[in-house]
Amino acid sequence: MGRDVAQGAFSREDRVRYRQKVRRCLDVFALMLDDFGFDADRPMTGLEIELNLIDSTAEPAMRNEEILAHIADPLFQTELGQFNLELNALPRLIEGTGFADYEKDLRGSLARADERAAKSDAKILLVGTLPTLTEQHLIADNLSTNERYRALNDQIVGARGEDIELDIRGVERLRTHTDSIAPEAACTSLQFHLQVAPDSFADYWNASQAIAAVQVAVGANSPYLYGRQLWAETRIALFEQATDTRPDELKAQGVRPRVWFGERWITSIFDLFEENVRYFPPLLPICEDEDPVEVLHAGGVPRLGELRLHNGTVYRWNRPVYDIRDGRPHLRVENRVLPAGPTVVDMLANAAFYFGLARALAEADRPIWSQLTFSSAEENFHAAARRGMGAVLHWPRLGDVPVTELVLDVLLPKAAAGLDGFGVAPAQRDRLLGVIEQRCRTGRNGAAWQTEAVWVAERHRGMDRDAALHHMAQRYAELQRSNEPVHTWPVD
């Protein structure tokens, strides 16, 4: 939800008008899917990276607005918390040396941002959940000053009608309450965008859902929150709970959560937008002046602003996107399951694995979703978030299998074939998928490195948990700048 909001309170009339407008947009979208020319000739990709700002002691630096002014680059934007920024990479093709171009641009942008953040005694950290965060940091006063975040907070907390409970049971347990959505700011993610044609969207979305668990297992990087070791990818549980608009009674009635894995395989992108309208009341009922029916009849391209805004407040782990570029509409799968970090090369390895595997499974003769139940895909997802590299997943024809074995024996060759289909240079393919292979052979991803480093600090250096987390975060920041993949990092 990247729009600015000019108002924080909404009337009944606002909500009625918005609901009617969303449904009108949905009707127009259905007509467009039938006979409109969507841009799908050469599938573009995109990356978004959410960043943490820390000071010299690895405490969160609550000054994103000041640092954003120093950076002065439109690719960087504010995010929910004052210690967050977001970097949007320029969209591009991944054929040939596309991944090398991503790497050069991302490293350059992050280096410049880090240099300018230093003017405010801060530096950038790429991690799923900042390990030094405490409950005192994640409060409403530390939300970014942009009015859209305050409005979103008011609407989510108002819809729930009571404090939000966080209850995460992992290696240790965290149970607390919050009166705002500020804990969501701890969830810093890496998001992939893949442009697809309307008639193949369902295949790519279904494939993305099927492999979400595998992505999380090999890419987990969020083991700590509020000083406790929880899930390998605690960010999953935290995001699901921190934005939950449902009190217990609505949960018991089966009302869907705003952060949602989904409940079925789909046959069209329309299924997802229609579910959004049917199941989720609007959080930000802001209407635009456009009449999408008139625009369509006049031969134009409707913005469908209300439908897109509503879609942005339903937090699917794989989100459908309708957008317009250079006057032509297009569709994208937005893959949102992964944390940021640890390094640029690690993130691009995750990207190569996702793009290649999604294509291979989407174009397979026998779809994976015809062999795997949707409930199994969801169970796999949460098992992977809990256990990371140690997860055991259910997979067709293999039964219950360790995720490392599944990746090494079955999925890496498919990902390589998918990247070949995109025309990725073999050297780029082999380098990036080699990072995934070595993570699986060593059993070390970002989450595993963090927990090992804290264990060493506690056992060998005699530090308490708080000191160990600060020490680990500072060491992490140093190693991150080497751009060496995390499976090669020393833990002492």
Side-chain angles (χ1 to χ4, degrees):
M1 188 209 68
R3 298 188 43 176
D4 288 341
V5 175
Q7 58 192 112
F10 304 102
S11 67
R12 295 178 182 179
E13 291 76 14
D14 290 332
R15 295 184 183 279
V16 170
R17 181 168 177 255
Y18 182 82
R19 181 176 288 108
Q20 292 171 345
K21 196 76 180 293
V22 168
R23 289 174 176 166
R24 190 171 178 85
C25 288
L26 185 65
D27 291 341
V28 169
F29 186 56
L31 294 172
M32 294 177 69
L33 290 174
D34 285 339
D35 59 10
F36 210 89
F38 284 82
D39 184 7
D41 300 332
R42 303 184 72 200
M44 300 288 284
T45 66
L47 303 179
E48 298 177 56
I49 309 170
E50 295 171 352
L51 319 170
N52 290 282
L53 300 168
I54 59 171
D55 64 19
S56 60
T57 66
E59 287 283 297
M62 303 291 180
R63 34 190 182 269
N64 64 354
E65 197 168 274
E66 174 185 332
I67 290 168
L68 204 59
H70 290 319
I71 295 173
D73 183 341
L75 296 180
F76 287 85
Q77 300 175 2
T78 57
E79 252 298 330
L80 181 62
Q82 291 184 28
F83 61 97
N84 299 142
L85 290 177
E86 181 177 270
L87 168 58
N88 294 283
L90 292 172
R92 70 197 67 205
L93 301 169
I94 56 172
E95 67 182 25
T97 60
F99 281 112
D101 296 338
Y102 264 133
E103 185 170 5
K104 178 183 176 182
D105 287 355
L106 289 173
R107 292 191 69 189
S109 292
L110 289 169
R112 287 191 297 275
D114 225 10
E115 179 184 329
R116 295 172 190 184
K119 296 178 181 179
S120 298
D121 298 318
K123 54 188 172 184
I124 288 168
L125 198 71
L126 302 166
V127 68
T129 55
L130 180 58
T132 56
L133 285 169
T134 68
E135 292 185 66
Q136 288 68 45
H137 295 130
L138 295 177
I139 58 175
D141 285 347
N142 287 334
L143 294 175
S144 291
T145 57
N146 190 307
E147 188 58 36
R148 73 172 183 262
Y149 301 120
R150 307 284 171 164
L152 186 63
N153 176 73
D154 293 347
Q155 294 303 307
I156 288 177
V157 174
R160 186 179 176 94
E162 59 190 48
D163 282 357
I164 296 170
E165 182 181 28
L166 303 178
D167 187 358
I168 306 174
R169 306 180 193 199
V171 177
E172 298 165 359
R173 185 180 183 185
L174 170 67
R175 189 172 188 182
T176 187
H177 290 78
T178 176
D179 61 0
S180 77
I181 64 169
E184 184 196 335
C187 304
T188 39
S189 66
L190 167 65
Q191 297 162 21
F192 304 136
H193 290 256
L194 179 58
Q195 184 179 333
V196 294
D199 58 359
S200 60
F201 183 94
D203 293 342
Y204 275 87
W205 188 87
N206 289 340
S208 298
Q209 292 286 101
I211 63 176
V214 180
Q215 289 182 265
V216 168
V218 299
N221 195 28
S222 311
Y224 292 101
L225 181 66
Y226 293 171
R228 293 174 176 83
Q229 183 182 348
L230 301 171
W231 294 9
E233 190 50 36
T234 302
R235 187 184 120 267
I236 300 295
L238 177 60
F239 193 34
E240 289 177 343
Q241 295 181 23
T243 54
D244 199 341
T245 58
R246 306 167 303 162
D248 289 344
E249 295 81 1
L250 292 184
K251 292 179 189 178
Q253 292 170 30
V255 173
R256 280 80 173 174
R258 301 298 292 211
V259 178
W260 200 30
F261 188 81
E263 60 190 19
R264 60 177 175 138
W265 305 117
I266 65 169
T267 58
S268 166
I269 188 175
F270 185 81
D271 295 347
L272 301 177
F273 281 101
E274 195 271 336
E275 284 180 349
N276 289 354
V277 175
R278 187 184 342 147
Y279 294 144
F280 299 101
L283 287 180
L284 298 172
I286 303 166
C287 288
E288 298 186 359
D289 293 334
E290 176 190 80
D291 183 332
V293 174
E294 290 184 2
V295 173
L296 185 66
H297 287 166
V301 180
R303 277 183 38 81
L304 306 183
E306 293 80 10
L307 190 71
R308 292 161 69 185
L309 176 59
H310 188 52
N311 184 52
T313 62
V314 179
Y315 303 100
R316 296 178 183 274
W317 293 111
N318 284 292
R319 177 187 277 165
V321 176
Y322 166 87
D323 206 349
I324 302 169
R325 182 177 57 240
D326 298 329
R328 291 190 66 188
H330 68 267
L331 305 177
R332 303 194 303 267
V333 177
E334 181 186 8
N335 178 257
R336 302 160 48 83
V337 305
L338 285 173
T343 64
V344 170
V345 72
D346 280 305
M347 292 188 292
L348 290 176
N350 292 337
F353 187 53
Y354 168 69
F355 290 137
L357 190 53
R359 178 163 184 157
L361 294 185
E363 297 182 356
D365 292 336
R366 187 178 178 196
I368 186 68
W369 53 96
S370 70
Q371 308 166 63
L372 182 71
T373 66
F374 196 89
S375 61
S376 290
E378 184 173 15
E379 289 166 11
N380 282 347
F381 181 65
H382 287 100
R386 287 187 178 92
R387 298 292 306 280
M389 299 295 282
V392 174
L393 307 182
H394 184 77
W395 201 255
R397 296 192 299 278
L398 296 178
D400 294 336
V401 58
V403 68
T404 52
E405 181 181 322
L406 175 63
V407 172
L408 290 170
D409 296 345
V410 179
L411 300 182
L412 273 176
K414 293 183 184 296
L419 292 177
D420 289 344
F422 280 114
V424 174
Q428 295 291 311
R429 174 200 66 201
D430 294 345
R431 177 188 180 225
L432 295 175
L433 293 186
V435 171
I436 303 297
E437 177 186 359
Q438 289 305 310
R439 275 191 221 155
C440 291
R441 295 199 185 281
T442 60
R444 181 176 290 172
N445 57 12
W449 183 88
Q450 288 190 54
T451 54
E452 284 184 57
V454 168
W455 187 91
V456 168
E458 289 177 334
R459 300 300 190 279
H460 294 177
R461 296 175 179 268
M463 296 180 178
D464 63 18
R465 175 61 62 80
D466 182 64
L469 288 171
H470 282 77
H471 174 77
M472 179 271 285
Q474 289 174 307
R475 184 73 175 126
Y476 182 108
E478 294 168 5
L479 292 166
Q480 183 174 90
R481 279 149 185 79
S482 72
N483 200 38
E484 293 297 324
V486 71
H487 71 266
T488 67
W489 289 7
V491 295
D492 54 9

